[in-house]
Amino acid sequence: MKYLIVGLGNIGPEYADTRHNIGFMVLDELARQDGVRFSMGRHAYHAETSFKGRKLHLIKPTTYMNLSGKALSYWMNELKVPLENVLVIVDDLALPLGTLRLKPKGSAAGHNGLRHIEATLGHNNYARLRFGISDNFPKGQQVDYVLSGFDADEIPELPSLVDRSIDMIKSFATIGTELTMTRYNK
């Protein structure tokens, strides 16, 4: 069984470790833990790992956030991964830091990466793991906030949240969306 795990983010050192790149950060840590490396592929960095007999194809789109659907669509078709085996990891302003939520579908909620995926697929019926980054920014400063690094008091929380995200990815691939939601969503 093949799964496509899509971590949303932006390429380039200026975006590394920013709130908007949490999808990349989660997949980087999963690859590190499993001893696999990303290589440059079409529209994305790609790595492959296995968990309990499932092949997990990890991609970090190189299309920039606003064109994420292009990479997702290409790799879904290239690998012949059915939509129910696709999971997108995305930052979410509507959730406080420390909140992780798996959803089987949903709106883009103003997120440009999700908006492009929805436009590319023609629907929003794909699973996403929403990683709360909180909304602690002054009015009109959303872009600066998501493209900034985590605050000093938030950084110690990140490793356990990233590890929990990895557990949720592996759970999604083995027991599915609904049971993973029951087990992990709080």
Side-chain angles (χ1 to χ4, degrees):
M1 273 249 229
K2 290 183 194 171
Y3 290 82
L4 182 62
I5 313 299
V6 184
L8 297 190
N10 285 308
I11 57 169
E14 67 272 31
Y15 299 110
D17 300 325
T18 63
R19 296 170 193 277
H20 221 26
N21 268 36
I22 198 66
F24 280 17
M25 293 162 68
V26 169
L27 293 192
D28 283 342
E29 180 58 18
L30 174 54
R32 189 196 67 74
Q33 288 179 12
D34 285 8
V36 297
R37 292 187 183 276
F38 282 93
S39 59
M40 185 60 169
R42 184 151 180 206
H43 304 307
Y45 292 105
H46 173 258
E48 185 181 323
T49 188
S50 295
F51 181 72
K52 293 190 176 178
R54 275 91 171 161
K55 282 207 182 308
L56 305 181
H57 292 272
L58 316 177
I59 65 164
K60 300 186 306 182
T62 55
T63 56
Y64 288 97
M65 184 68 78
N66 297 356
L67 298 174
S68 297
K70 189 175 185 177
L72 183 149
S73 176
Y74 171 80
W75 285 93
M76 260 183 78
N77 292 327
E78 178 71 15
L79 298 168
K80 296 175 179 41
V81 175
L83 187 61
E84 61 270 15
N85 290 2
V86 173
L87 177 63
V88 176
I89 297 110
V90 61
D91 59 291
D92 195 320
L93 286 166
L95 298 174
L97 185 71
T99 304
L100 300 171
R101 292 250 168 78
L102 182 66
K103 298 287 229 175
K105 62 182 178 178
S107 78
H111 194 287
N112 289 333
L114 295 181
R115 186 178 292 137
H116 192 263
I117 290 170
E118 188 175 317
T120 303
L121 294 176
H123 58 78
N124 62 5
N125 297 322
Y126 59 90
R128 74 274 323 263
L129 173 53
R130 298 165 53 212
F131 191 111
I133 60 168
S134 115
D135 63 356
N136 190 18
F137 58 90
K139 188 171 174 75
Q141 300 296 307
Q142 179 175 333
V143 171
D144 293 336
Y145 179 75
V146 300
L147 294 178
S148 69
F150 289 91
D151 296 338
D153 63 327
E154 296 172 326
I155 291 172
E157 292 182 63
L158 289 178
S160 65
L161 293 172
V162 168
D163 283 345
R164 202 162 120 230
S165 298
I166 292 168
D167 291 344
M168 291 173 79
I169 291 166
K170 290 177 176 179
S171 177
F172 168 81
T174 53
I175 64 173
T177 306
E178 297 301 322
L179 289 174
T180 299
M181 287 169 55
T182 301
R183 182 177 291 173
Y184 289 95
N185 286 2
K186 294 180 177 156

